[in-house]
Amino acid sequence: MSIELLIYAAVALFLVFRLFSVLGKRTGHQKRPDFPPGAAPEREESRSGEAQDNVVRIPSANDGAAPESAQFSGPAGEGLRAIRGADRNFDPDSFVDGAKKAFEMIVTAYAEGDRKTLKNLLDKATYDSFSGAIDAREKAGHRMEDMLVGIDSAEITEARLDKDIAHVTVTFVSQQVNVTYDGEGRVVDGDPSTVETVSDEWTFARSVKSSDPNWQLVETRVAA
């Protein structure tokens, strides 16, 4: 064998050794891949029993990987599970998010006398009650200002399924400034400089068989 062939062979062996040494270990400085939400990497065991770092599982809907809402084990858990059994798309946490948005819209619409918005969010009986109060306020020449400073908490406290109608009650604790003015701009009720803590219980309802995903406010009361 010539000297040149021996040199080439030695160089090839050196390159193979270097390549193996680089690919065969992790230094801890490699960039972590960007995983989509809900697809955090899981370490799976290979057939040899060694953990593989390069396997990523995206959980399916049947894996049970998504954590169940804590609301199911709360005070309204039994009713929520009944609703979930009739409507697999029902999620208590998403419901609360929507209820908070509805709360803000309804409080604002009532103060502004916005009947159109109220009609879309309330059932007929509740709308008639709200509209009647607005009529009385306007007849007296009064104007209401209601500033929702913020919602401290919104918790599902009751839930039930009556045949195919789901009812969910949310207790809202919010910070508000409520003031009513007369036609001359004088304060007749409330204090514009005072932020009040207000506790309300609102009940929303919808048919679990309806293709319309929207809920309507069907009852309001002051929280005990």
Side-chain angles (χ1 to χ4, degrees), residues 41-160:
E42 297 182 6
R43 293 168 61 88
E44 292 194 347
E45 297 298 320
S46 68
R47 292 181 181 178
S48 63
E50 296 178 353
Q52 295 180 336
D53 289 332
N54 60 341
V55 177
V56 178
R57 292 184 66 251
I58 299 177
S60 67
N62 297 323
D63 281 342
E68 187 175 79
S69 169
Q71 299 274 9
F72 285 114
S73 58
E78 184 177 352
L80 293 175
R81 286 191 294 271
I83 296 171
R84 178 65 171 268
D87 180 4
R88 299 305 298 174
N89 293 319
F90 175 73
D91 174 65
D93 295 329
S94 298
F95 174 86
V96 170
D97 289 340
K100 289 163 69 174
K101 292 182 177 67
F103 181 81
E104 182 174 359
M105 291 175 65
I106 292 170
V107 167
T108 301
Y110 174 68
E112 296 177 352
D114 182 356
R115 294 176 177 81
K116 182 178 180 180
T117 295
L118 292 174
K119 200 164 190 175
N120 290 329
L121 298 171
L122 281 56
D123 74 337
K124 186 179 185 308
T126 308
Y127 171 78
D128 288 345
S129 177
F130 275 55
S131 182
I134 294 172
D135 288 342
R137 189 173 69 213
E138 291 176 346
K139 187 175 181 180
H142 292 170
R143 174 177 58 86
M144 182 178 182
E145 288 187 2
D146 189 334
M147 183 175 68
L148 181 62
V149 178
I151 298 175
D152 294 338
S153 63
E155 180 185 2
I156 296 176
T157 49
E158 295 177 23
R160 69 183 189 277

Side-chain angles (χ1 to χ4, degrees), residues 142-208:
H142 292 170
R143 174 177 58 86
M144 182 178 182
E145 288 187 2
D146 189 334
M147 183 175 68
L148 181 62
V149 178
I151 298 175
D152 294 338
S153 63
E155 180 185 2
I156 296 176
T157 49
E158 295 177 23
R160 69 183 189 277
L161 182 64
D162 294 333
K163 295 182 179 180
D164 61 346
I165 304 298
H167 292 81
V168 180
T169 299
V170 180
T171 298
F172 296 95
V173 179
S174 62
Q175 302 295 319
Q176 301 181 31
V177 178
N178 297 308
V179 189
T180 301
Y181 299 90
D182 65 12
E184 302 297 324
R186 294 173 298 218
V187 175
V188 294
D189 187 39
D191 184 346
S193 62
T194 300
V195 178
E196 300 180 48
T197 299
V198 181
S199 297
D200 295 294
E201 291 181 356
W202 286 18
T203 300
F204 299 86
R206 72 175 288 270
S207 170
V208 295

